[in-house]
Amino acid sequence: MAGQLGQITVYVADNLMVGRLGAEALAAVSLAVAIIAVPTVIGMGIAVALPTLISEADGAGEDKKVSQYFKHGFVINLLIGLIAGGLFILGLPILDDIGQDPGVVVLAKEYIFVSALGLVPMMIFMTFRGFSDGMSETKPPMIAMLLGNVLNVILNYIFIFGKLGAPALGVEGAALASLIARVFMIVFIVLLLLKWKNLWCYIKACNFKTYQSVMASKIFEIGIPSSLQYFFEISAFSGAALIMGMVSKNAQAAHQISINISSVTFMICSGLAMAATIRVGNQLGKKDYNAMRSAGLSAFIQVTLMMAVCSLIFVLFRSYLPLLYINDMKVVEIASLLLIFAAIFQIPDGLQVTALSALRGIQDVKIPTFITFFSYYIIGIPISYFTAITFEMGAPGVWLGLLVGLFFSATLLMIRFYRLSNRYV
């Protein structure tokens, strides 16, 4: 959880610093992140298959499978980073034709180009992280992420505002800082794993000259549906950012602020959710089905309590939190209103990501993928568009759709885990 919180700290710092450049710069980051997040989560889905499979193999005492999963995951993630980065760069001209503010588009292109170069190191790091987490050794990736994030924040300050003799690159500087920090994180986690002998022995045992299609197939069997789950949810929020751009530049900037604040609590939940995946998968490998079910249910209770507190914080400080990002009172007014919606969807947001992860731990990914598609594409996005644009509700209409989509997703996924885990018991 500390690693996840450290990760989101970088994005918060990015937005806090970029916000000082004005609403246009903040809107550009919102647009860029909305676009770059969609293909990125496909790679993330493949990466999260690793802790699921490795935790089960470790629980069953199958050491050879642990090394095999790491090796195949490494190669697959490397190829995904190369392909996705190339597609980002080739697709930049499309931004001119999606109905966004021209000034925002120019800045967004700069951010996306540099971010595309950072996809390869990001995917490589996620491979090492997935392996380490799957082995229930969460400290190496946590330490690497926290130190990398500190470096990122420092480099943000230098490159965005042009300090210590560096040029003032603005929005592009934020992306450059992230690229350098990701490379650092790879180097550092490798050095850490060298000292964790119980982990490095599995990596050392890898033979990169031979591959087995059955291992790759197993990763894709879990990874592709997981990718689609991430895709449907993230693309719903990306679609919301695009709809906000149709409303106004100020609405888009306010959306970015509210999403950025909400992402702090979401990433904390992601840490608990990953723990649920590992604990559920590990107990599945041991065939201790009562403990497997209890691991998932206890995670639901923890997330509910934590997100209830976060909801209260959002409501009480909704008029003050946006001021940390920008002094434009029009943007602040919209953002403070959106934070009320964010407060309402805290609990369903936390429960849906935890339920997805618990189901992934028992390698149930196909039905949950359909549930996420239904919740966001059939329910959430259409409501966002029609309430915001057709019925002219503006920014609140966009977030109303997100709220309804998250509610459906959380409810259906929790029912799915409860019924499926009962079958094992």
Side-chain angles (χ1 to χ4, degrees):
M1 190 165 67
Q4 295 290 86
L5 186 58
Q7 181 179 347
I8 197 58
T9 300
V10 173
Y11 295 105
V12 173
D14 279 357
N15 284 269
L16 286 171
M17 294 182 187
V18 169
R20 300 307 171 190
L21 302 176
E24 186 173 73
L26 199 56
V29 172
S30 175
L31 175 60
V33 170
I35 292 171
I36 204 167
V38 175
T40 300
V41 296
I42 297 176
M44 288 174 60
I46 300 296
V48 298
L50 283 181
T52 302
L53 294 169
I54 288 174
S55 64
E56 183 194 10
D58 181 46
E62 298 176 317
D63 294 346
K64 271 190 176 179
K65 278 191 175 182
V66 173
S67 296
Q68 290 286 340
Y69 283 135
F70 171 81
K71 177 182 70 175
H72 287 78
F74 183 90
V75 174
I76 290 170
N77 287 336
L78 176 62
L79 292 174
I80 288 173
L82 290 169
I83 294 170
L87 290 176
F88 276 136
I89 294 173
L90 292 175
L92 285 175
I94 298 174
L95 292 179
D96 296 320
D97 303 313
I98 58 174
Q100 304 295 303
D101 183 277
V104 170
V105 168
V106 171
L107 295 176
K109 282 184 177 180
E110 296 175 354
Y111 189 96
I112 291 173
F113 180 82
V114 179
S115 295
L117 301 178
L119 288 179
V120 169
M122 182 191 79
M123 294 305 300
I124 292 174
F125 177 79
M126 288 182 68
T127 305
F128 285 108
R129 180 188 175 189
F131 160 71
S132 188
D133 286 347
M135 295 296 293
S136 300
E137 291 281 4
T138 58
K139 287 184 180 180
M142 180 195 74
I143 295 170
M145 289 171 65
L146 291 177
L147 292 178
N149 293 338
V150 170
L151 176 62
N152 198 342
V153 171
I154 294 171
L155 293 178
N156 270 340
Y157 180 71
I158 293 172
F159 291 133
I160 292 175
F161 303 111
K163 303 298 181 179
L164 301 179
L169 299 175
V171 169
E172 186 180 5
L176 179 60
S178 296
L179 171 60
I180 296 172
R182 284 172 179 171
V183 174
F184 167 84
M185 286 161 62
I186 294 174
V187 175
F188 199 79
I189 195 170
V190 169
L191 293 175
L192 287 175
L193 291 177
L194 282 168
K195 294 184 177 297
W196 258 266
K197 302 297 183 182
N198 61 316
L199 295 181
W200 188 254
C201 62
Y202 292 100
I203 298 176
K204 189 178 179 180
C206 293
N207 180 7
F208 284 90
K209 294 180 180 179
T210 60
Y211 298 91
Q212 299 176 21
S213 60
V214 66
M215 286 291 174
S217 297
K218 191 68 176 176
I219 292 173
F220 283 122
E221 184 181 329
I222 295 177
I224 291 177
S226 297
S227 296
L228 291 174
Q229 293 164 12
Y230 281 116
F231 174 81
F232 294 140
E233 180 181 359
I234 298 300
S235 63
F237 282 86
S238 296
L242 295 177
I243 296 171
M244 284 292 190
M246 298 176 186
V247 175
S248 71
K249 181 168 62 178
N250 287 337
Q252 195 172 42
H255 172 80
Q256 179 63 14
I257 291 172
S258 303
I259 284 292
N260 195 243
I261 295 171
S262 302
S263 64
V264 175
T265 55
F266 177 81
M267 291 305 287
I268 295 174
C269 284
S270 293
L272 291 172
M274 180 59 73
T277 298
I278 296 166
R279 289 182 63 203
V280 169
N282 199 258
Q283 297 305 321
L284 177 66
K286 294 178 180 178
K287 302 187 185 305
D288 188 345
Y289 301 124
N290 282 313
M292 179 194 77
R293 184 170 178 271
S294 296
L297 296 179
S298 63
F300 296 156
I301 295 172
Q302 292 175 52
V303 165
T304 300
L305 294 174
M306 185 189 69
M307 294 305 259
V309 175
C310 293
S311 295
L312 182 61
I313 293 173
F314 279 13
V315 171
L316 293 177
F317 297 97
R318 66 184 184 277
S319 298
Y320 305 100
L321 292 173
L323 290 171
L324 298 174
Y325 292 79
I326 198 168
N327 293 321
D328 189 324
M329 295 312 297
K330 292 181 179 179
V331 175
V332 170
E333 183 180 352
I334 299 172
S336 63
L337 176 60
L338 296 183
L339 283 176
I340 296 177
F341 286 88
I344 297 172
F345 76 49
Q346 286 301 290
I347 292 177
D349 193 22
L351 287 174
Q352 63 86 24
V353 70
T354 306
L356 269 176
S357 297
L359 287 166
R360 196 176 297 127
I362 54 177
Q363 301 183 22
D364 178 52
V365 289
K366 293 181 180 178
I367 297 300
T369 300
F370 173 77
I371 290 174
T372 54
F373 170 79
F374 172 79
S375 299
Y376 301 121
Y377 272 59
I378 304 301
I379 303 294
I381 293 178
I383 290 177
S384 289
Y385 181 82
F386 285 113
T387 53
I389 306 300
T390 305
F391 297 111
E392 299 182 350
M393 288 179 61
V398 176
W399 277 52
L400 177 62
L402 295 176
L403 172 61
V404 175
L406 286 168
F407 176 80
F408 269 89
S409 179
T411 302
L412 295 175
L413 289 170
M414 288 181 65
I415 291 173
R416 174 70 179 173
F417 179 81
Y418 183 78
R419 288 181 175 177
L420 199 60
S421 60
N422 272 345
R423 294 179 191 174
Y424 282 93
V425 178

